[in-house]
Amino acid sequence: MSRSPDQRITNMDGDAALPRDNGELVFQAPWEGRAFGLAVAMNEAGRYPWRDFFQELVAKIAEAREAGAPTSYYDQWLAALETLAVGKGFLTTEELDRRTAEYQSGRRADHH
Amino acid sequence: MSEAHSGEHHHETEPYAALRTKALESLLVEKGLVSSDAIDALVQAYEQDIGPLNGAKVVARAWVDPAYKQRLIVKGTEAIAELGFGGSQGAEIVVLENTPAVHNMVVCTLCSCYPWPVLGLPPTWYKSHAYRARAVIEPRAVLRELGLALDDSVEVRVWDSTADVRYMVLPRRPKGSEGLAEAELASLVSRDSMIGVAEAGPPSGVGQ
């Protein structure tokens, strides 16, 4: 895959703007980059239009602000992706809970 | 492999969001909705589009500034912080200089420790069992398969990363790059050259 970045993603603005430092994308931890790539890859694979993800992201950011929760941009990004994936019927929250617990307990390793 | 993680060479304790992301990715991949390679490629494309990787800037600075290079080799983490990069959860970054006689390559045999503040996210192959197992046993064969044929006279040193110490390779400055400015030099430095599975690229125009 060598297509160049999608400007609808790189140019999101307002609260949804990607965190940057001196123009470069900033990921505070590897999982943030992974979550970023996952949402973009799902869009590129045609699983949902970017607009759907964007609207979900904006909604999550607004909810977090409302709640005054001390969460980061990519926490909301991940929450948006999860809600969208469940909403589109790609997986269920139960499946995701189970898989998360498997990683947490070490019953499943992160390499293949 | 999970038993191995209880050893001295341990995983960083992963935050819940990291586990959740991993779970989400693995399920979506399993269902054939997305591929891990596509995610790798996209993350790299977005990071590179926005500018050279932090590590490339560090390498370019070291190529043009011998005093900086000296500091980088002696105290990598601090020299890297001089350029404003850091935040690796307390992990030390050690920089290994390639020379005509010594080639360094980096692996994490037990998990996927990686100097991400300078190199971004590890590629999937770096986390693969094949690379982790074979890099130590037969580094020359692995390098050859990745397209890097080294002369037998070159000593290959393999460095196993841990949660506490991450390695980054300082590749040799390519021939023909003498007249280039620092920013142009940075564009020659690939991620793979800083893992030590490739050389820094030749300047365009060289060899034509």
Side-chain angles (χ1 to χ4, degrees), chain B residues 19-33:
Chain B
L19 297 165
R20 195 76 172 169
T21 302
K22 218 186 275 183
L24 196 52
E25 176 179 340
S26 81
L27 284 166
L28 294 172
V29 167
E30 237 168 66
K31 291 167 189 283
L33 293 165

Side-chain angles (χ1 to χ4, degrees), chain A residues 90-102:
Chain A
F90 298 144
L91 44 73
T92 64
T93 305
E94 293 69 36
E95 275 180 296
L96 195 52
D97 287 344
R98 202 168 333 125
R99 184 62 56 96
T100 307
E102 283 170 14

Side-chain angles (χ1 to χ4, degrees), chain A residues 1 5-6 9-10 20 23-25 27-31 33-38 40-42 44-45 47 75 78 81-82 90-91 93 95-97 99-100 103-104 106 108 110-112, chain B residues 1-2 5 11 15-28 30-34 36 38-43 45-47 49-50 52 54 57 110 116 121 124 127 129 132:
Chain A
M1 183 167 330
D6 186 334
I9 300 172
T10 56
R20 291 173 193 271
E24 300 189 23
L25 291 189
F27 301 119
Q28 300 294 339
W31 74 263
R34 213 62 205 163
F36 169 81
L38 186 53
V40 176
M42 287 289 285
E44 298 240 332
R47 307 302 170 202
D75 284 322
L78 178 61
L81 180 57
E82 186 179 324
F90 298 144
L91 44 73
T93 305
E95 275 180 296
L96 195 52
D97 287 344
R99 184 62 56 96
T100 307
Y103 278 120
Q104 199 151 26
R108 182 180 283 270
D110 67 340
H111 21 69
H112 320 284
Chain B
M1 287 304 297
S2 53
H5 288 243
H11 245 311
Y16 179 77
L19 297 165
R20 195 76 172 169
T21 302
K22 218 186 275 183
L24 196 52
E25 176 179 340
S26 81
L27 284 166
L28 294 172
E30 237 168 66
K31 291 167 189 283
L33 293 165
V34 73
S36 290
I39 300 171
D40 283 352
L42 277 167
V43 171
Y46 277 78
E47 285 190 322
D49 172 69
I50 296 195
N54 295 343
K57 295 181 187 167
L110 287 186
W116 56 265
L121 305 167
T124 297
K127 300 183 280 185
H129 180 71
R132 291 184 295 119

Side-chain angles (χ1 to χ4, degrees), chain B residues 75-94:
Chain B
K75 286 193 167 176
T77 312
E78 287 165 32
I80 288 165
E82 283 180 42
L83 300 193
F85 312 133
S88 183
Q89 298 159 343
E92 193 78 15
I93 297 177
V94 171

